[in-house]
Amino acid sequence: MSSHAFQQLKEKKYINGAKGNEGLLSVTEELHSLSFEAHFTVLGLTIDLETSSLPLVVISNVSQLPAGWASVMWYNLLTDEPRNLGYFGNPPRASWSQLSEVLSWQFSSFAGRGLNADQLLMLGERLLGPGTSSSDCQVSWSRFSKENIAGKPFSFWIWLESILELIRKHLLPVWNDNYIMGFVSKETERALLKGKEAGTFLLRFSESHLGGITFTWVEQADNGLYHMTTPQPAGS
């Protein structure tokens, strides 16, 4: 028969890395771990046990959740050191092949369906630029999570996370039934719809609005000519 109790929680500052970088980290890049210690005696033998959790991020507002999850994901992708709490003082780069596999897993885990090769190709070009999403391209942490996409007020990860949230809240059935092409550029969309019959439509995620989806369809005008119609993106 035994009894136990958690008496108090103590915080210890553990720094591993260059102190000069510490002030540059955001709250969601500051890693923490939970340490559990046990001291007991059995038949006169004193035993001390200690174990620690994997690094975690502490947030104070739900708005920090996407950035915090990005930090945890990047850490688990590129290191197996359980106490490297200074990891984001100098985070390593990821190859596109590594990152694309994790992004597909994100969609499979949280939305029920992973991403195919064409969708990942579009995401690679969105992140790295046209023609640069080969498997050996290196992606920096800053480019993935912190820097804004060119001409947009948000980063690649925040844009992608907003799409996951849109699917979870409103589009799970049609996403899992493969009715949404989703990740396709506006140019490719036009090429796919060109010459199609009136009523043919395509659903893709907006590149300019967070958590938005765009409907484009083919219409036939009174003069018999066909054209494409795209209203403002519908958002979450």
Side-chain angles (χ1 to χ4, degrees):
M1 184 174 183
S2 63
S3 63
H4 62 277
F6 295 102
Q7 296 181 346
Q8 57 183 330
L9 180 66
K10 296 180 180 179
E11 180 184 13
K12 291 183 180 180
K13 191 75 172 179
Y14 179 84
I15 299 174
N16 180 18
K19 290 185 177 181
N21 291 330
E22 184 182 358
L24 302 177
L25 300 182
S26 67
V27 170
T28 54
E29 293 173 311
E30 294 180 358
L31 299 179
H32 307 262
S33 69
L34 298 177
S35 179
F36 300 91
E37 299 179 2
H39 310 278
F40 55 93
T41 301
V42 178
L43 299 176
L45 177 64
T46 300
I47 301 174
D48 298 327
L49 298 177
E50 179 180 356
T51 189
S52 297
S53 70
L54 291 172
L56 52 90
V57 174
V58 177
I59 62 174
S60 58
N61 191 286
V62 70
S63 64
Q64 298 171 326
L65 183 59
W69 180 246
S71 296
V72 170
M73 184 173 66
W74 199 266
Y75 184 95
N76 289 329
L77 172 64
L78 297 171
T79 186
D80 56 3
E81 298 179 41
R83 291 186 62 85
N84 187 8
L85 302 186
Y87 176 81
F88 284 103
N90 186 27
R93 292 172 176 260
S95 69
W96 173 244
S97 61
Q98 290 175 303
L99 187 56
S100 62
E101 184 177 347
V102 169
L103 295 181
S104 182
W105 171 84
Q106 281 283 108
F107 276 80
S108 178
S109 298
F110 290 94
R113 176 166 69 90
L115 304 177
N116 62 34
D118 289 336
Q119 292 168 328
L120 290 171
L121 177 63
M122 185 274 181
L123 287 181
E125 293 188 342
R126 177 81 164 152
L127 177 60
L128 299 167
T132 59
S133 58
S134 61
S135 61
D136 58 347
C137 279
Q138 297 293 302
V139 184
S140 70
W141 161 246
S142 180
R143 186 156 194 171
F144 172 72
S145 178
K146 302 176 74 174
E147 298 173 9
N148 286 346
I149 298 172
K152 301 294 185 293
F154 45 79
S155 69
F156 174 84
W157 171 249
I158 293 301
W159 170 71
L160 197 63
E161 171 65 20
S162 73
I163 292 170
L164 268 171
E165 189 68 13
L166 173 70
I167 294 173
R168 284 196 298 256
K169 286 183 176 180
H170 306 292
L171 302 174
L172 271 178
V174 289
W175 171 256
N176 287 318
D177 288 339
N178 208 21
Y179 292 135
I180 301 176
M181 183 169 288
F183 296 107
V184 57
S185 67
K186 186 180 296 186
E187 293 74 21
T188 302
E189 172 193 67
R190 297 285 166 172
L192 290 171
L193 291 175
K194 186 177 180 179
K196 295 296 190 293
E197 296 181 359
T200 305
F201 67 94
L202 187 149
L203 304 177
R204 69 179 183 88
F205 299 121
S206 173
E207 297 177 62
S208 57
H209 292 76
L210 290 178
I213 188 166
T214 297
F215 301 75
T216 300
W217 64 88
V218 179
E219 280 188 320
Q220 186 176 19
D222 293 338
N223 60 9
L225 296 178
Y226 291 89
H227 65 277
M228 299 175 200
T229 299
T230 305
Q232 286 294 314
S236 59

